[in-house]
Amino acid sequence: MVSGADSAPRRYRAISRRACLFGAAMLPVLGASPTNGGGSSDPAPRRVRTAVLSAWIAETLFAIGAPPVALPELERGARVWGPSDLPAGIVDLGLAGEPNIELLEQLRLDLILADSRLQGWILPRLEPIAPVVAAAIYTPALRPLAAARAETARFGDLLDRRAEAARVVAEADAAFGRARATLSGCAKRLFFVVRLVDDRNLVLYCRGSLFHDVLMELGLPPASPAANDWGFLTMGIEALAAVPDARIIHFEPVPKEARRLFTQPSLWSHLPAVRDGRVTPIPELYSWGGLPTAKRFADELTIALAGRTPCPRRA
């Protein structure tokens, strides 16, 4: 398995010989040779046949113009993170935690890209099929946005899409800059980012989540002091009352188990932010997304908050 320098699981260090041979193995895949370095006189590099087992990696590969040939949970997952027009012919590998190994063996893959958190029987069974590249942005370092930038660039290097990866990073940074300028009037307001679960509970995104990092990037201080490498906590709605002056950002659509919050007296309706109109819905985003999700979050916040008190548009 080939992985980032700071995330290689200890029990995979024994296969370092394979990792050392990986670069040489990839030369013919990318249309290069050890002697000519893949110069401009070579034929155009063929598409690297990849299978991807993590949604954040998949959305990053789509963004840099290197779509995989196979993904898990294609129909359900793509509704949240995928492009509006998925290329035809992508193979559905079944459940993300239990991909169809027999199907993977039939796809003549050059690479398998997976999140480093995959454990147990999955990674050892993938190694005989194709070289495995492990990547991670949700780690104990609690810096998913910085890691997403770095992994986007790494995928660009790996798949001969350096210019495209640099463009994706630059476009995300430009979106953050626009949002920071537009929403500068919000800097004195704390922000909760939540996903409603039912009429009593919610998911609260905290330090360790991509959403927390984007808020910080935009100069919008998060209201939650919590932190973990999952990036979220499940808690009762009443927990939001701990910061009565905060604005609440929540994702739509709201599940049917939570819809009564908006029509009947409830814990929700008694929150200061709800009473004062400081609740902002934004469209659904993937909780464990990569850099494309981070950009969409910044864009959606800008659309939802621009012009609202106390977030006037900067002249």
Side-chain angles (χ1 to χ4, degrees):
M1 181 180 69
V2 181
S3 66
D6 61 350
S7 60
R10 182 179 299 274
R11 64 193 185 88
Y12 284 102
R13 291 178 184 171
I15 63 170
S16 59
R17 180 176 181 273
R18 180 169 187 160
C20 292
L21 294 174
F22 176 73
M26 285 300 294
L27 288 172
V29 170
L30 296 176
S33 72
T35 56
N36 64 25
S40 58
S41 62
D42 291 339
R46 72 176 178 88
R47 177 185 174 188
V48 180
R49 291 180 59 82
T50 60
V52 171
L53 301 185
S54 302
W56 73 265
I57 300 176
E59 71 166 354
T60 305
L61 263 57
F62 278 110
I64 68 173
V69 300
L71 296 168
E73 302 178 18
L74 181 61
E75 182 178 349
R76 181 176 70 87
R79 288 199 301 267
V80 178
W81 59 261
S84 57
D85 53 344
L86 279 173
I90 295 180
V91 175
D92 192 330
L93 295 173
L95 295 176
E98 297 183 7
N100 187 322
I101 299 296
E102 291 75 16
L103 190 53
L104 281 166
E105 291 172 337
Q106 298 170 18
L107 292 175
R108 304 188 313 278
L109 297 169
D110 298 311
L111 286 175
I112 299 173
L113 282 76
D115 194 286
S116 299
R117 289 187 175 190
L118 282 176
Q119 297 177 5
W121 64 273
I122 301 175
L123 285 179
R125 292 194 63 184
L126 297 177
E127 285 286 343
I129 299 172
V132 177
V133 175
I137 60 176
Y138 295 95
T139 73
L142 304 183
R143 298 184 62 201
L145 181 56
R149 286 190 181 99
E151 293 289 30
T152 299
R154 185 162 77 107
F155 296 153
D157 289 341
L158 184 66
L159 301 175
D160 199 23
R161 293 291 188 274
R162 294 175 184 83
E164 293 85 347
R167 171 187 53 79
V168 170
V169 173
E171 288 177 352
D173 287 341
F176 300 150
R178 290 192 300 270
R180 188 163 51 245
T182 301
L183 303 179
S184 60
C186 293
K188 295 182 180 180
R189 179 75 67 184
L190 298 176
F191 284 79
F192 284 117
V193 179
V194 305
R195 190 180 305 274
L196 297 171
V197 175
D198 54 34
D199 60 355
R200 290 183 175 273
N201 301 290
L202 52 77
V203 171
L204 172 66
Y205 294 97
C206 60
R207 183 173 172 235
S209 74
L210 193 70
F211 305 133
H212 174 281
D213 280 11
V214 173
L215 287 179
M216 295 295 291
E217 187 82 10
L218 305 187
L220 307 178
S224 173
N228 62 53
D229 57 354
W230 290 98
F232 69 86
L233 300 167
T234 301
M235 56 182 53
I237 286 173
E238 68 277 5
L240 301 183
V243 188
D245 293 335
R247 176 173 288 276
I248 299 171
I249 308 294
H250 76 85
F251 292 107
E252 290 190 324
V254 174
K256 64 180 181 180
E257 296 82 0
R259 290 174 193 162
R260 67 178 295 271
L261 293 173
F262 302 102
T263 60
Q264 302 177 29
S266 62
L267 291 170
W268 177 262
S269 61
H270 286 87
L271 291 174
V274 176
R275 291 199 310 264
D276 297 343
R278 285 181 276 108
V279 177
T280 303
I282 64 173
E284 175 80 355
L285 292 173
Y286 181 55
S287 297
W288 288 324
L291 195 58
T293 291
K295 178 182 180 298
R296 285 195 292 271
F297 184 52
D299 289 341
E300 295 295 349
L301 281 178
T302 303
I303 293 169
L305 293 174
R308 290 176 179 266
T309 303
C311 300
R313 200 180 281 272
R314 177 179 282 181

